[in-house]
Amino acid sequence: MTAAPVTAPTRSSWPPRLAAVAAVAVANALLALVAPLLGADLVVAPPGQDPAAVSAGAFAVFSAGFGLLGWGVLALGERLLGRRGLVAWTVAAVLITLLMVVPPLSAGGTVATTVVLELSHLVVAAGVIPVFWKSSPTS
């Protein structure tokens, strides 16, 4: 009689990743709600467009949307490339975070609004990159 091979239990990556996406959405919505206390009116006027206020809901939706997009790209990379997909995604995520410094600078808002917009990008990166890395089945 032979024993069945022992396999290590696989951990699911989706609960911590979903929690990270939800957390950055909530954190950025809260950031938008307290922004007026920091002197930020959250009104932006990109070149050629009328001034418009950015709502707390927009902060939440965009944070969650880009978090989910990143998750999908990572899942595809992990499936196709294994650990190399995780490494490539992490490098790309950090580079995209660095590139996302530029759009708020041209958004035509006050200095305080620009700082809040920049901070919101950092919240997403700091919230999802480490969690996605740690929760990867390839790590």
Side-chain angles (χ1 to χ4, degrees), residues 11 71 91 93 125 133 137 139:
R11 61 180 180 200
W71 183 1
V91 169
W133 177 274
S139 65

Side-chain angles (χ1 to χ4, degrees), residues 8 10 28 33-34 37 43 53 118 133:
T10 58
N28 273 336
L33 291 173
V34 300
L37 301 174
V43 173
E118 297 287 6
W133 177 274

